[in-house]
Amino acid sequence: MPIIEGKRKRCLSLTLTSDIYLKNFLAKGPAMKSMNLVMCSIIGYVGVKDVAQILLDGLERLEYRGYDSAGITGLKDGTFTSVKQLGRVKNLSNAIKPSMNFGNLGIGHTRWATHGKVSVKNAHPHVSFHGLFSIVHNGVIENYESIKQYLAKQGYKFYSETDTEVLVNLIEYHFRKEPDSENRFLVSVQKALLHVRGTYGIAVLCKNNPEEMVIARKSSPLIIGIGKNEMFVASDACAFVAYTKNVVYLNDGELAHITCSDFSITTMKNETIDAVKCELDWKVEDVSRGEHEHFMLKEICEQPISIENAMRGRFSDDLSTAKFGGLQLLPRELRQIDRILFCACGTAWHACLVAEYLIEKYARIPVEVAYSSEFRYGNVPLDKNTLVFIVSQSGETLDSLAALQESKRKGYRTLAITNAIGSTIARESEGGIYQHSGPEIGVASTKAFTAQLCIVAMLALLFGRLHNMGFDEGSEFVQSLLELPKKISQILDKKDEIQRIAKKYANCKDMLFLGRQSMFPIALEGALKLKEISYIHAEGYPAAEMKHGPIALISEQCPCVFLATQKDIWQKNISNIQEVKARNAKIVVVASEGHQISPDHIDDLMEIPDTHDALKPILATIPLQLFAYYIAKARGCDIDKPRNLAKSVTVE
Ligand code: M6R
């Protein structure tokens, strides 16, 4: 990200004159550019409890992220005790002997191999050559090879193939050069990080400081959990929510020095930062699977509640429009907006496409939708009354964060729609709307997506009422929104039937999803859900586009899922269904109650309750989520941890 990169360069020239040799050396050395999804997890603890138990508990709660090895290190009486294992956290727990005493300060990690193969040696935590430091690290140190060469010349030896071991040695190198002082530990980490290019979330222990931990972040989330006489750190608050809900999110370029009773935050230049504390509105049950086999199924089933939460307190007293205090815009200012740009990635981008249909239809305001990754490097011309929304469930997606920063740099009012209170995107935006979906743990986004759909429908209502939508139309819209949770429950009650249908399609290799207007993004989402968790190749198209190319794929082996929920374009959908049927493809239809589809034209039907047109995308999504889930289950896929995917993508 250009802004942060600029800061880093200034720091180098300001503070590192004493390290001119290392600086020159690194300037010549190669930088290894890596493009991996960050799937690793960090947990750390300092307090009075048995650290091993807390670390293992935290790592178990973060298991959904996917990993190939795990490890913990405790620091007691000046000695590091470490255990690392390949595979599951359970293997790690089993490897811990009762005689081991990890003390009350420690760090833990689950690793997804990036630099170096999957092996115990490469697993974290890593210890420095002289044994003074232990570290866990998420992210990628791009210039690790040149640092490694430099350190090797200073006599350092390396036992793993990782970039992380290089970083911990760089910290030790600075520590050994640093005069003894109260801040020696923190300053050494600061100095090491000033030489580093890449991304990191790190937690570091130092033998000489047996009651302290230092953490730092750049483009990889880290959160401090504040307890009573104990502190937690984690890459995801799920890890410690059972112990505390009081948190502080670390910003990019910040470090924190933590003891059991206190913490302080500084920048790389050692400026003190005032911590912004917030309280998570999560319950412990939110981060456990409960009676459900997978988080994804649990989260699908939570949608009556998550939709209710997305709406709570957000209607006018006369129930004729929506209100969002977080926008921090007066009705007069909202009326002046004559263009809206939405930026997002993946599933959130699909929610933005629905926003485009709804806001243009109900409020007559032109809407553009951009992939965050395209927007950040493009030069979309926007006029001065453009409002920009960045939509991100996690609030940490790097491309969306960069889009937000680019939009702010250009001077647009930039707001966020996010589920993660206090996340980087939430903090850096100029206001916005929280989804209140509760933590979403399954990698495949479900309840967060429908909450986004609900919010964008409410934005269409809000803008519509400011322009040309009358009181009665607004009241009918609100009424339909209020009925959504009950209608979602009705669909969920039919999940066994959807499972029966899904099983019939579990062996296919390709599938097409087709829909018109606001059902087109839902077709994209249905296809994305299926490919993410079942690995079946699936594509979504506007139904009428089929005859411009995709129809060539249609055969008995390529089933088509039609989203035929709208009354006004009913006949158009029927014609497309017939075109496909004539080519012997199996047809699954999602239709609203009261439809007139003849059973002769289709193979399977998933019915949803009728609702306001603007809300059909929400209801039509639920059977598609269940359909994808049960297909993946029938294929024996690892549903909560699909291959190659991460819950939040904090690298480019
Ligand atoms: O956290 P975000 O909403 O910014 O994430 C965006 C995408 O990475 C995310 O929606 C992704 O496509 C999911 N795996 C979809 O299920």
mmCIF file with all atom_site columns, all heavy atoms in Angstrom, residues 546 562 564 570-583 585 587-589 597 601-602:
data_model
loop_
_atom_site.group_PDB
_atom_site.id
_atom_site.type_symbol
_atom_site.label_atom_id
_atom_site.label_alt_id
_atom_site.label_comp_id
_atom_site.label_asym_id
_atom_site.label_entity_id
_atom_site.label_seq_id
_atom_site.pdbx_PDB_ins_code
_atom_site.Cartn_x
_atom_site.Cartn_y
_atom_site.Cartn_z
_atom_site.occupancy
_atom_site.B_iso_or_equiv
_atom_site.pdbx_formal_charge
_atom_site.auth_seq_id
_atom_site.auth_comp_id
_atom_site.auth_asym_id
_atom_site.auth_atom_id
_atom_site.pdbx_PDB_model_num
ATOM 1   N N   . MET A 1 546 ? -27.016 -16.590 -21.800 1.00 0.00 ? 546 MET A N   1
ATOM 2   C CA  . MET A 1 546 ? -26.701 -17.995 -22.064 1.00 0.00 ? 546 MET A CA  1
ATOM 3   C C   . MET A 1 546 ? -26.563 -18.259 -23.559 1.00 0.00 ? 546 MET A C   1
ATOM 4   O O   . MET A 1 546 ? -25.642 -18.927 -24.007 1.00 0.00 ? 546 MET A O   1
ATOM 5   C CB  . MET A 1 546 ? -27.831 -18.821 -21.479 1.00 0.00 ? 546 MET A CB  1
ATOM 6   C CG  . MET A 1 546 ? -27.562 -20.283 -21.492 1.00 0.00 ? 546 MET A CG  1
ATOM 7   S SD  . MET A 1 546 ? -29.024 -21.151 -20.987 1.00 0.00 ? 546 MET A SD  1
ATOM 8   C CE  . MET A 1 546 ? -30.267 -20.462 -22.045 1.00 0.00 ? 546 MET A CE  1
ATOM 9   N N   . PHE A 1 562 ? -31.768 -22.354 -12.226 1.00 0.00 ? 562 PHE A N   1
ATOM 10  C CA  . PHE A 1 562 ? -32.441 -21.104 -12.616 1.00 0.00 ? 562 PHE A CA  1
ATOM 11  C C   . PHE A 1 562 ? -32.998 -20.410 -11.388 1.00 0.00 ? 562 PHE A C   1
ATOM 12  O O   . PHE A 1 562 ? -33.670 -21.030 -10.565 1.00 0.00 ? 562 PHE A O   1
ATOM 13  C CB  . PHE A 1 562 ? -33.605 -21.411 -13.567 1.00 0.00 ? 562 PHE A CB  1
ATOM 14  C CG  . PHE A 1 562 ? -33.194 -21.483 -15.002 1.00 0.00 ? 562 PHE A CG  1
ATOM 15  C CD1 . PHE A 1 562 ? -32.812 -22.690 -15.560 1.00 0.00 ? 562 PHE A CD1 1
ATOM 16  C CD2 . PHE A 1 562 ? -33.167 -20.342 -15.798 1.00 0.00 ? 562 PHE A CD2 1
ATOM 17  C CE1 . PHE A 1 562 ? -32.414 -22.765 -16.880 1.00 0.00 ? 562 PHE A CE1 1
ATOM 18  C CE2 . PHE A 1 562 ? -32.768 -20.412 -17.119 1.00 0.00 ? 562 PHE A CE2 1
ATOM 19  C CZ  . PHE A 1 562 ? -32.396 -21.624 -17.671 1.00 0.00 ? 562 PHE A CZ  1
ATOM 20  N N   . ALA A 1 564 ? -35.657 -18.152 -10.771 1.00 0.00 ? 564 ALA A N   1
ATOM 21  C CA  . ALA A 1 564 ? -36.819 -17.603 -11.488 1.00 0.00 ? 564 ALA A CA  1
ATOM 22  C C   . ALA A 1 564 ? -37.844 -17.132 -10.462 1.00 0.00 ? 564 ALA A C   1
ATOM 23  O O   . ALA A 1 564 ? -38.879 -17.754 -10.252 1.00 0.00 ? 564 ALA A O   1
ATOM 24  C CB  . ALA A 1 564 ? -37.404 -18.677 -12.394 1.00 0.00 ? 564 ALA A CB  1
ATOM 25  N N   . TRP A 1 570 ? -41.338 -13.265 -15.636 1.00 0.00 ? 570 TRP A N   1
ATOM 26  C CA  . TRP A 1 570 ? -41.677 -14.677 -15.522 1.00 0.00 ? 570 TRP A CA  1
ATOM 27  C C   . TRP A 1 570 ? -41.527 -15.412 -16.854 1.00 0.00 ? 570 TRP A C   1
ATOM 28  O O   . TRP A 1 570 ? -40.831 -16.415 -16.967 1.00 0.00 ? 570 TRP A O   1
ATOM 29  C CB  . TRP A 1 570 ? -43.127 -14.716 -15.028 1.00 0.00 ? 570 TRP A CB  1
ATOM 30  C CG  . TRP A 1 570 ? -43.582 -16.065 -14.664 1.00 0.00 ? 570 TRP A CG  1
ATOM 31  C CD1 . TRP A 1 570 ? -44.588 -16.778 -15.222 1.00 0.00 ? 570 TRP A CD1 1
ATOM 32  C CD2 . TRP A 1 570 ? -43.014 -16.881 -13.659 1.00 0.00 ? 570 TRP A CD2 1
ATOM 33  N NE1 . TRP A 1 570 ? -44.684 -17.978 -14.621 1.00 0.00 ? 570 TRP A NE1 1
ATOM 34  C CE2 . TRP A 1 570 ? -43.722 -18.074 -13.649 1.00 0.00 ? 570 TRP A CE2 1
ATOM 35  C CE3 . TRP A 1 570 ? -41.951 -16.724 -12.761 1.00 0.00 ? 570 TRP A CE3 1
ATOM 36  C CZ2 . TRP A 1 570 ? -43.431 -19.116 -12.796 1.00 0.00 ? 570 TRP A CZ2 1
ATOM 37  C CZ3 . TRP A 1 570 ? -41.674 -17.763 -11.905 1.00 0.00 ? 570 TRP A CZ3 1
ATOM 38  C CH2 . TRP A 1 570 ? -42.400 -18.932 -11.924 1.00 0.00 ? 570 TRP A CH2 1
ATOM 39  N N   . GLN A 1 571 ? -42.190 -14.872 -17.883 1.00 0.00 ? 571 GLN A N   1
ATOM 40  C CA  . GLN A 1 571 ? -42.211 -15.530 -19.189 1.00 0.00 ? 571 GLN A CA  1
ATOM 41  C C   . GLN A 1 571 ? -40.811 -15.643 -19.779 1.00 0.00 ? 571 GLN A C   1
ATOM 42  O O   . GLN A 1 571 ? -40.476 -16.615 -20.438 1.00 0.00 ? 571 GLN A O   1
ATOM 43  C CB  . GLN A 1 571 ? -43.129 -14.764 -20.166 1.00 0.00 ? 571 GLN A CB  1
ATOM 44  C CG  . GLN A 1 571 ? -44.573 -15.247 -20.149 1.00 0.00 ? 571 GLN A CG  1
ATOM 45  C CD  . GLN A 1 571 ? -44.694 -16.782 -20.186 1.00 0.00 ? 571 GLN A CD  1
ATOM 46  O OE1 . GLN A 1 571 ? -43.950 -17.470 -20.843 1.00 0.00 ? 571 GLN A OE1 1
ATOM 47  N NE2 . GLN A 1 571 ? -45.645 -17.300 -19.420 1.00 0.00 ? 571 GLN A NE2 1
ATOM 48  N N   . LYS A 1 572 ? -40.012 -14.618 -19.536 1.00 0.00 ? 572 LYS A N   1
ATOM 49  C CA  . LYS A 1 572 ? -38.641 -14.626 -20.069 1.00 0.00 ? 572 LYS A CA  1
ATOM 50  C C   . LYS A 1 572 ? -37.865 -15.805 -19.464 1.00 0.00 ? 572 LYS A C   1
ATOM 51  O O   . LYS A 1 572 ? -37.149 -16.509 -20.158 1.00 0.00 ? 572 LYS A O   1
ATOM 52  C CB  . LYS A 1 572 ? -37.897 -13.326 -19.688 1.00 0.00 ? 572 LYS A CB  1
ATOM 53  C CG  . LYS A 1 572 ? -38.631 -12.075 -20.080 1.00 0.00 ? 572 LYS A CG  1
ATOM 54  C CD  . LYS A 1 572 ? -38.319 -11.681 -21.488 1.00 0.00 ? 572 LYS A CD  1
ATOM 55  C CE  . LYS A 1 572 ? -39.155 -10.506 -21.915 1.00 0.00 ? 572 LYS A CE  1
ATOM 56  N NZ  . LYS A 1 572 ? -39.443 -10.512 -23.344 1.00 0.00 ? 572 LYS A NZ  1
ATOM 57  N N   . ASN A 1 573 ? -38.053 -15.974 -18.159 1.00 0.00 ? 573 ASN A N   1
ATOM 58  C CA  . ASN A 1 573 ? -37.354 -17.084 -17.513 1.00 0.00 ? 573 ASN A CA  1
ATOM 59  C C   . ASN A 1 573 ? -37.830 -18.424 -18.062 1.00 0.00 ? 573 ASN A C   1
ATOM 60  O O   . ASN A 1 573 ? -37.044 -19.338 -18.292 1.00 0.00 ? 573 ASN A O   1
ATOM 61  C CB  . ASN A 1 573 ? -37.571 -17.032 -15.999 1.00 0.00 ? 573 ASN A CB  1
ATOM 62  C CG  . ASN A 1 573 ? -36.585 -16.076 -15.334 1.00 0.00 ? 573 ASN A CG  1
ATOM 63  O OD1 . ASN A 1 573 ? -35.426 -16.018 -15.699 1.00 0.00 ? 573 ASN A OD1 1
ATOM 64  N ND2 . ASN A 1 573 ? -37.076 -15.300 -14.375 1.00 0.00 ? 573 ASN A ND2 1
ATOM 65  N N   . ILE A 1 574 ? -39.142 -18.546 -18.240 1.00 0.00 ? 574 ILE A N   1
ATOM 66  C CA  . ILE A 1 574 ? -39.704 -19.812 -18.752 1.00 0.00 ? 574 ILE A CA  1
ATOM 67  C C   . ILE A 1 574 ? -39.078 -20.131 -20.118 1.00 0.00 ? 574 ILE A C   1
ATOM 68  O O   . ILE A 1 574 ? -38.689 -21.268 -20.374 1.00 0.00 ? 574 ILE A O   1
ATOM 69  C CB  . ILE A 1 574 ? -41.249 -19.716 -18.901 1.00 0.00 ? 574 ILE A CB  1
ATOM 70  C CG1 . ILE A 1 574 ? -41.890 -19.420 -17.540 1.00 0.00 ? 574 ILE A CG1 1
ATOM 71  C CG2 . ILE A 1 574 ? -41.825 -20.958 -19.563 1.00 0.00 ? 574 ILE A CG2 1
ATOM 72  C CD1 . ILE A 1 574 ? -42.215 -20.603 -16.699 1.00 0.00 ? 574 ILE A CD1 1
ATOM 73  N N   . SER A 1 575 ? -38.953 -19.105 -20.964 1.00 0.00 ? 575 SER A N   1
ATOM 74  C CA  . SER A 1 575 ? -38.378 -19.359 -22.295 1.00 0.00 ? 575 SER A CA  1
ATOM 75  C C   . SER A 1 575 ? -36.948 -19.884 -22.157 1.00 0.00 ? 575 SER A C   1
ATOM 76  O O   . SER A 1 575 ? -36.556 -20.829 -22.833 1.00 0.00 ? 575 SER A O   1
ATOM 77  C CB  . SER A 1 575 ? -38.314 -18.076 -23.135 1.00 0.00 ? 575 SER A CB  1
ATOM 78  O OG  . SER A 1 575 ? -39.531 -17.432 -23.090 1.00 0.00 ? 575 SER A OG  1
ATOM 79  N N   . ASN A 1 576 ? -36.157 -19.253 -21.263 1.00 0.00 ? 576 ASN A N   1
ATOM 80  C CA  . ASN A 1 576 ? -34.772 -19.727 -21.081 1.00 0.00 ? 576 ASN A CA  1
ATOM 81  C C   . ASN A 1 576 ? -34.748 -21.160 -20.552 1.00 0.00 ? 576 ASN A C   1
ATOM 82  O O   . ASN A 1 576 ? -33.921 -21.970 -20.977 1.00 0.00 ? 576 ASN A O   1
ATOM 83  C CB  . ASN A 1 576 ? -34.019 -18.823 -20.103 1.00 0.00 ? 576 ASN A CB  1
ATOM 84  C CG  . ASN A 1 576 ? -33.811 -17.423 -20.645 1.00 0.00 ? 576 ASN A CG  1
ATOM 85  O OD1 . ASN A 1 576 ? -33.944 -16.431 -19.930 1.00 0.00 ? 576 ASN A OD1 1
ATOM 86  N ND2 . ASN A 1 576 ? -33.507 -17.323 -21.925 1.00 0.00 ? 576 ASN A ND2 1
ATOM 87  N N   . ILE A 1 577 ? -35.664 -21.455 -19.640 1.00 0.00 ? 577 ILE A N   1
ATOM 88  C CA  . ILE A 1 577 ? -35.711 -22.815 -19.082 1.00 0.00 ? 577 ILE A CA  1
ATOM 89  C C   . ILE A 1 577 ? -35.979 -23.814 -20.216 1.00 0.00 ? 577 ILE A C   1
ATOM 90  O O   . ILE A 1 577 ? -35.338 -24.870 -20.313 1.00 0.00 ? 577 ILE A O   1
ATOM 91  C CB  . ILE A 1 577 ? -36.794 -22.903 -17.972 1.00 0.00 ? 577 ILE A CB  1
ATOM 92  C CG1 . ILE A 1 577 ? -36.314 -22.125 -16.734 1.00 0.00 ? 577 ILE A CG1 1
ATOM 93  C CG2 . ILE A 1 577 ? -37.124 -24.349 -17.618 1.00 0.00 ? 577 ILE A CG2 1
ATOM 94  C CD1 . ILE A 1 577 ? -37.328 -21.980 -15.624 1.00 0.00 ? 577 ILE A CD1 1
ATOM 95  N N   . GLN A 1 578 ? -36.904 -23.440 -21.103 1.00 0.00 ? 578 GLN A N   1
ATOM 96  C CA  . GLN A 1 578 ? -37.241 -24.366 -22.193 1.00 0.00 ? 578 GLN A CA  1
ATOM 97  C C   . GLN A 1 578 ? -36.058 -24.571 -23.153 1.00 0.00 ? 578 GLN A C   1
ATOM 98  O O   . GLN A 1 578 ? -35.803 -25.684 -23.602 1.00 0.00 ? 578 GLN A O   1
ATOM 99  C CB  . GLN A 1 578 ? -38.479 -23.867 -22.935 1.00 0.00 ? 578 GLN A CB  1
ATOM 100 C CG  . GLN A 1 578 ? -39.731 -24.192 -22.123 1.00 0.00 ? 578 GLN A CG  1
ATOM 101 C CD  . GLN A 1 578 ? -40.973 -23.487 -22.611 1.00 0.00 ? 578 GLN A CD  1
ATOM 102 O OE1 . GLN A 1 578 ? -40.898 -22.467 -23.289 1.00 0.00 ? 578 GLN A OE1 1
ATOM 103 N NE2 . GLN A 1 578 ? -42.125 -24.029 -22.252 1.00 0.00 ? 578 GLN A NE2 1
ATOM 104 N N   . GLU A 1 579 ? -35.334 -23.479 -23.406 1.00 0.00 ? 579 GLU A N   1
ATOM 105 C CA  . GLU A 1 579 ? -34.161 -23.605 -24.292 1.00 0.00 ? 579 GLU A CA  1
ATOM 106 C C   . GLU A 1 579 ? -33.166 -24.629 -23.728 1.00 0.00 ? 579 GLU A C   1
ATOM 107 O O   . GLU A 1 579 ? -32.583 -25.417 -24.463 1.00 0.00 ? 579 GLU A O   1
ATOM 108 C CB  . GLU A 1 579 ? -33.417 -22.259 -24.369 1.00 0.00 ? 579 GLU A CB  1
ATOM 109 C CG  . GLU A 1 579 ? -34.011 -21.263 -25.346 1.00 0.00 ? 579 GLU A CG  1
ATOM 110 C CD  . GLU A 1 579 ? -33.560 -19.819 -25.035 1.00 0.00 ? 579 GLU A CD  1
ATOM 111 O OE1 . GLU A 1 579 ? -32.578 -19.637 -24.270 1.00 0.00 ? 579 GLU A OE1 1
ATOM 112 O OE2 . GLU A 1 579 ? -34.216 -18.906 -25.539 1.00 0.00 ? 579 GLU A OE2 1
ATOM 113 N N   . VAL A 1 580 ? -32.998 -24.578 -22.415 1.00 0.00 ? 580 VAL A N   1
ATOM 114 C CA  . VAL A 1 580 ? -32.033 -25.479 -21.780 1.00 0.00 ? 580 VAL A CA  1
ATOM 115 C C   . VAL A 1 580 ? -32.568 -26.905 -21.763 1.00 0.00 ? 580 VAL A C   1
ATOM 116 O O   . VAL A 1 580 ? -31.853 -27.873 -22.053 1.00 0.00 ? 580 VAL A O   1
ATOM 117 C CB  . VAL A 1 580 ? -31.716 -24.971 -20.355 1.00 0.00 ? 580 VAL A CB  1
ATOM 118 C CG1 . VAL A 1 580 ? -30.902 -25.982 -19.588 1.00 0.00 ? 580 VAL A CG1 1
ATOM 119 C CG2 . VAL A 1 580 ? -30.955 -23.655 -20.437 1.00 0.00 ? 580 VAL A CG2 1
ATOM 120 N N   . LYS A 1 581 ? -33.871 -27.016 -21.459 1.00 0.00 ? 581 LYS A N   1
ATOM 121 C CA  . LYS A 1 581 ? -34.493 -28.357 -21.391 1.00 0.00 ? 581 LYS A CA  1
ATOM 122 C C   . LYS A 1 581 ? -34.376 -29.057 -22.749 1.00 0.00 ? 581 LYS A C   1
ATOM 123 O O   . LYS A 1 581 ? -34.129 -30.267 -22.829 1.00 0.00 ? 581 LYS A O   1
ATOM 124 C CB  . LYS A 1 581 ? -35.965 -28.203 -20.974 1.00 0.00 ? 581 LYS A CB  1
ATOM 125 C CG  . LYS A 1 581 ? -36.623 -29.487 -20.578 1.00 0.00 ? 581 LYS A CG  1
ATOM 126 C CD  . LYS A 1 581 ? -36.021 -30.020 -19.279 1.00 0.00 ? 581 LYS A CD  1
ATOM 127 C CE  . LYS A 1 581 ? -36.291 -31.478 -19.059 1.00 0.00 ? 581 LYS A CE  1
ATOM 128 N NZ  . LYS A 1 581 ? -35.389 -32.100 -18.096 1.00 0.00 ? 581 LYS A NZ  1
ATOM 129 N N   . ALA A 1 582 ? -34.534 -28.257 -23.803 1.00 0.00 ? 582 ALA A N   1
ATOM 130 C CA  . ALA A 1 582 ? -34.467 -28.828 -25.155 1.00 0.00 ? 582 ALA A CA  1
ATOM 131 C C   . ALA A 1 582 ? -33.092 -29.427 -25.430 1.00 0.00 ? 582 ALA A C   1
ATOM 132 O O   . ALA A 1 582 ? -32.930 -30.216 -26.354 1.00 0.00 ? 582 ALA A O   1
ATOM 133 C CB  . ALA A 1 582 ? -34.773 -27.742 -26.184 1.00 0.00 ? 582 ALA A CB  1
ATOM 134 N N   . ARG A 1 583 ? -32.093 -29.049 -24.633 1.00 0.00 ? 583 ARG A N   1
ATOM 135 C CA  . ARG A 1 583 ? -30.742 -29.596 -24.828 1.00 0.00 ? 583 ARG A CA  1
ATOM 136 C C   . ARG A 1 583 ? -30.406 -30.627 -23.750 1.00 0.00 ? 583 ARG A C   1
ATOM 137 O O   . ARG A 1 583 ? -29.231 -30.902 -23.471 1.00 0.00 ? 583 ARG A O   1
ATOM 138 C CB  . ARG A 1 583 ? -29.727 -28.446 -24.834 1.00 0.00 ? 583 ARG A CB  1
ATOM 139 C CG  . ARG A 1 583 ? -29.815 -27.704 -26.161 1.00 0.00 ? 583 ARG A CG  1
ATOM 140 C CD  . ARG A 1 583 ? -29.304 -26.301 -26.120 1.00 0.00 ? 583 ARG A CD  1
ATOM 141 N NE  . ARG A 1 583 ? -29.494 -25.679 -27.434 1.00 0.00 ? 583 ARG A NE  1
ATOM 142 C CZ  . ARG A 1 583 ? -30.622 -25.046 -27.814 1.00 0.00 ? 583 ARG A CZ  1
ATOM 143 N NH1 . ARG A 1 583 ? -31.656 -24.928 -26.988 1.00 0.00 ? 583 ARG A NH1 1
ATOM 144 N NH2 . ARG A 1 583 ? -30.724 -24.536 -29.033 1.00 0.00 ? 583 ARG A NH2 1
ATOM 145 N N   . ALA A 1 585 ? -30.419 -30.770 -20.583 1.00 0.00 ? 585 ALA A N   1
ATOM 146 C CA  . ALA A 1 585 ? -29.761 -30.512 -19.291 1.00 0.00 ? 585 ALA A CA  1
ATOM 147 C C   . ALA A 1 585 ? -30.776 -30.710 -18.167 1.00 0.00 ? 585 ALA A C   1
ATOM 148 O O   . ALA A 1 585 ? -31.974 -30.477 -18.336 1.00 0.00 ? 585 ALA A O   1
ATOM 149 C CB  . ALA A 1 585 ? -29.233 -29.093 -19.257 1.00 0.00 ? 585 ALA A CB  1
ATOM 150 N N   . ILE A 1 587 ? -32.580 -29.517 -14.869 1.00 0.00 ? 587 ILE A N   1
ATOM 151 C CA  . ILE A 1 587 ? -32.892 -28.140 -14.455 1.00 0.00 ? 587 ILE A CA  1
ATOM 152 C C   . ILE A 1 587 ? -33.388 -28.107 -13.007 1.00 0.00 ? 587 ILE A C   1
ATOM 153 O O   . ILE A 1 587 ? -34.324 -28.816 -12.636 1.00 0.00 ? 587 ILE A O   1
ATOM 154 C CB  . ILE A 1 587 ? -33.962 -27.543 -15.387 1.00 0.00 ? 587 ILE A CB  1
ATOM 155 C CG1 . ILE A 1 587 ? -33.338 -27.390 -16.780 1.00 0.00 ? 587 ILE A CG1 1
ATOM 156 C CG2 . ILE A 1 587 ? -34.466 -26.198 -14.875 1.00 0.00 ? 587 ILE A CG2 1
ATOM 157 C CD1 . ILE A 1 587 ? -34.263 -26.881 -17.809 1.00 0.00 ? 587 ILE A CD1 1
ATOM 158 N N   . VAL A 1 588 ? -32.722 -27.266 -12.235 1.00 0.00 ? 588 VAL A N   1
ATOM 159 C CA  . VAL A 1 588 ? -33.171 -27.009 -10.858 1.00 0.00 ? 588 VAL A CA  1
ATOM 160 C C   . VAL A 1 588 ? -33.663 -25.567 -10.848 1.00 0.00 ? 588 VAL A C   1
ATOM 161 O O   . VAL A 1 588 ? -32.970 -24.671 -11.346 1.00 0.00 ? 588 VAL A O   1
ATOM 162 C CB  . VAL A 1 588 ? -31.995 -27.135 -9.857  1.00 0.00 ? 588 VAL A CB  1
ATOM 163 C CG1 . VAL A 1 588 ? -32.480 -26.924 -8.433  1.00 0.00 ? 588 VAL A CG1 1
ATOM 164 C CG2 . VAL A 1 588 ? -31.299 -28.475 -10.007 1.00 0.00 ? 588 VAL A CG2 1
ATOM 165 N N   . VAL A 1 589 ? -34.840 -25.344 -10.282 1.00 0.00 ? 589 VAL A N   1
ATOM 166 C CA  . VAL A 1 589 ? -35.379 -23.983 -10.270 1.00 0.00 ? 589 VAL A CA  1
ATOM 167 C C   . VAL A 1 589 ? -35.604 -23.514 -8.835  1.00 0.00 ? 589 VAL A C   1
ATOM 168 O O   . VAL A 1 589 ? -36.116 -24.270 -7.999  1.00 0.00 ? 589 VAL A O   1
ATOM 169 C CB  . VAL A 1 589 ? -36.698 -23.917 -11.064 1.00 0.00 ? 589 VAL A CB  1
ATOM 170 C CG1 . VAL A 1 589 ? -37.391 -22.575 -10.868 1.00 0.00 ? 589 VAL A CG1 1
ATOM 171 C CG2 . VAL A 1 589 ? -36.432 -24.130 -12.548 1.00 0.00 ? 589 VAL A CG2 1
ATOM 172 N N   . ILE A 1 597 ? -44.708 -22.682 -12.896 1.00 0.00 ? 597 ILE A N   1
ATOM 173 C CA  . ILE A 1 597 ? -43.810 -23.520 -13.697 1.00 0.00 ? 597 ILE A CA  1
ATOM 174 C C   . ILE A 1 597 ? -44.382 -24.932 -13.760 1.00 0.00 ? 597 ILE A C   1
ATOM 175 O O   . ILE A 1 597 ? -44.700 -25.524 -12.729 1.00 0.00 ? 597 ILE A O   1
ATOM 176 C CB  . ILE A 1 597 ? -42.403 -23.579 -13.074 1.00 0.00 ? 597 ILE A CB  1
ATOM 177 C CG1 . ILE A 1 597 ? -41.844 -22.165 -12.975 1.00 0.00 ? 597 ILE A CG1 1
ATOM 178 C CG2 . ILE A 1 597 ? -41.469 -24.469 -13.886 1.00 0.00 ? 597 ILE A CG2 1
ATOM 179 C CD1 . ILE A 1 597 ? -40.508 -22.092 -12.341 1.00 0.00 ? 597 ILE A CD1 1
ATOM 180 N N   . HIS A 1 601 ? -41.327 -29.099 -17.189 1.00 0.00 ? 601 HIS A N   1
ATOM 181 C CA  . HIS A 1 601 ? -40.199 -28.336 -17.710 1.00 0.00 ? 601 HIS A CA  1
ATOM 182 C C   . HIS A 1 601 ? -38.947 -28.452 -16.856 1.00 0.00 ? 601 HIS A C   1
ATOM 183 O O   . HIS A 1 601 ? -37.881 -28.020 -17.280 1.00 0.00 ? 601 HIS A O   1
ATOM 184 C CB  . HIS A 1 601 ? -40.572 -26.836 -17.780 1.00 0.00 ? 601 HIS A CB  1
ATOM 185 C CG  . HIS A 1 601 ? -41.583 -26.549 -18.824 1.00 0.00 ? 601 HIS A CG  1
ATOM 186 N ND1 . HIS A 1 601 ? -42.577 -25.615 -18.657 1.00 0.00 ? 601 HIS A ND1 1
ATOM 187 C CD2 . HIS A 1 601 ? -41.769 -27.092 -20.040 1.00 0.00 ? 601 HIS A CD2 1
ATOM 188 C CE1 . HIS A 1 601 ? -43.328 -25.595 -19.741 1.00 0.00 ? 601 HIS A CE1 1
ATOM 189 N NE2 . HIS A 1 601 ? -42.862 -26.474 -20.583 1.00 0.00 ? 601 HIS A NE2 1
ATOM 190 N N   . ILE A 1 602 ? -39.087 -28.980 -15.662 1.00 0.00 ? 602 ILE A N   1
ATOM 191 C CA  . ILE A 1 602 ? -37.928 -28.916 -14.742 1.00 0.00 ? 602 ILE A CA  1
ATOM 192 C C   . ILE A 1 602 ? -37.706 -30.260 -14.053 1.00 0.00 ? 602 ILE A C   1
ATOM 193 O O   . ILE A 1 602 ? -38.581 -31.135 -14.092 1.00 0.00 ? 602 ILE A O   1
ATOM 194 C CB  . ILE A 1 602 ? -38.127 -27.820 -13.678 1.00 0.00 ? 602 ILE A CB  1
ATOM 195 C CG1 . ILE A 1 602 ? -39.330 -28.135 -12.785 1.00 0.00 ? 602 ILE A CG1 1
ATOM 196 C CG2 . ILE A 1 602 ? -38.282 -26.458 -14.328 1.00 0.00 ? 602 ILE A CG2 1
ATOM 197 C CD1 . ILE A 1 602 ? -39.460 -27.193 -11.626 1.00 0.00 ? 602 ILE A CD1 1
#
